[in-house]
Amino acid sequence: MITKTHFGEVSGKPVEKYTIENQNQTRLSVLTYAGIVQEFSVIDNNERVNLVLSSDRIEGFSENTYNINRVIGRAAGRITKGTWTQDGVTHHVPTNDGENTLHSGPEGVGNQFFVVKSVDEDKNQLQLTYTALESVDGFPGDLDITVTYTLTENDTVDVTFTGHQTKQAGVFNPTVHMYFNLANPGITDLTDHDLFINSDQHLAVNAEKCPTGELIDNAGTPFDLKHHHDLGEILPELKKTTVEQGFDDVFKVPANQDAVAVKVTDRVSGRHVAIHSDRNGIVAFTESQIGNDVKYLNLGESKPWMAVALEAQTLPDSENHPELGDVSIAADETQEYHIQYVYGKYCK
């Protein structure tokens, strides 16, 4: 079943919400503004639990800078100085993070309206499209982007990104900036969560959080989430030992759709979400320095460690560090990427 409702306005334009519900009463709600996942909820112990940080008002998404559950593109992450050279051509794109470009700059996909391409109730599927124009965002060429959301009957959210580039070569490295908190309603931090990341190394970054191209071994550090998962122990340690006071880091993972890249688990309820991706990076961000200024959230007044953003993508700034991956897309080329969010629950 798929339903459509009005969800407020951004800059005078109406926002629509499409809600997919499967036979288990699991729901996926997606907004036409920024492709936002407003709800990924399940019925557990006769109570509906939204697994993602959310809001019942569009202002909870549009009036802050945390990109809550937005589709990000053309390129997720930072591009150093907003500059790179591709096929012998040096490109300069608009900056929005000091001298650097974050999540594709001020006119990136995460700030745009999508058009609904199709609604398929038989497949529990919604397709959204947006054309990123060089004349609007400053990136080379034009890029037709289709985002396909599917809610399966076994409570998995499949996201497929399709990009078709025209005019000249460019870049394509999309993600969903999804924030998770799987706890029972009323629990507003991550201290009862485990976080597994299938990673042996994370990216070194400079003082502006731009990758240097180097990789740091995780073993023996709080970044070894492959072997040590308890955020209730790890986050207080990071608060004392890091500038970020938590995670704002990029982990290298296997680019293997069949493998689990990340798994977040609430130990109290047993609820968990495993993330599968066909790309080699996961950004983990625990919004550890957030104040109480983000309004209208489903978990109440904003505060550190309220949720963890888990962004599956190609390692960022590979435009300048080709050893980190390849996000180039040629003129007249079509590329496709996939993310799966697989819900489950451990028996207690």
Side-chain angles (χ1 to χ4, degrees), residues 209-226:
K209 299 296 290 184
C210 291
T212 66
E214 300 173 302
L215 291 164
I216 301 172
D217 290 338
N218 298 334
T221 76
F223 296 87
D224 190 8
L225 296 167
K226 194 173 184 177

Side-chain angles (χ1 to χ4, degrees), residues 133-331:
L133 300 175
E134 182 174 4
S135 60
V136 173
D137 64 20
F139 276 69
D142 294 345
L143 180 65
D144 295 321
I145 300 171
T146 300
V147 185
T148 304
Y149 287 101
T150 306
L151 176 63
T152 73
E153 293 299 345
N154 65 351
D155 300 336
T156 293
V157 173
D158 286 329
V159 184
T160 299
F161 303 97
T162 306
H164 179 72
Q165 182 81 3
T166 58
K167 296 186 178 179
Q168 65 172 312
V171 294
F172 185 46
N173 185 16
T175 190
V176 184
H177 204 292
M178 196 92 90
Y179 286 81
F180 289 96
N181 182 322
L182 312 185
N184 293 326
I187 305 299
T188 59
D189 63 45
L190 297 166
T191 53
D192 286 327
H193 281 64
D194 286 345
L195 180 63
F196 164 83
I197 300 184
N198 187 11
S199 172
D200 296 315
Q201 296 176 307
H202 65 282
L203 292 191
V205 296
N206 62 21
E208 297 175 313
K209 299 296 290 184
C210 291
T212 66
E214 300 173 302
L215 291 164
I216 301 172
D217 290 338
N218 298 334
T221 76
F223 296 87
D224 190 8
L225 296 167
K226 194 173 184 177
H227 300 103
H228 305 285
H229 315 138
D230 186 346
L231 292 181
E233 295 178 356
I234 295 168
L235 288 176
E237 182 177 352
L238 291 174
K239 183 176 182 179
K240 293 183 290 186
T241 59
T242 65
V243 173
E244 295 81 6
Q245 301 179 27
F247 287 114
D248 184 7
D249 297 280
V250 188
F251 295 80
K252 183 180 180 182
V253 298
N256 180 359
Q257 188 75 33
D258 295 328
V260 174
V262 186
K263 191 171 193 177
V264 59
T265 304
D266 174 47
R267 293 188 301 275
V268 174
S269 66
R271 291 185 287 269
H272 55 85
V273 173
I275 301 176
H276 297 247
S277 166
D278 50 11
R279 285 176 292 163
N280 69 347
I282 292 290
V283 177
F285 175 55
T286 51
E287 38 88 46
S288 304
Q289 295 176 296
I290 193 173
N292 62 358
D293 55 330
V294 180
K295 299 178 180 178
Y296 314 123
L297 296 178
N298 61 329
L299 297 180
E301 188 174 274
S302 60
K303 65 177 185 177
W305 308 343
M306 177 176 275
V308 56
L310 298 169
E311 306 153 53
Q313 61 173 89
T314 302
L315 293 171
D317 206 23
S318 59
E319 294 90 345
N320 290 302
H321 302 285
E323 67 276 13
L324 299 181
D326 182 5
V327 297
S328 63
I329 182 170

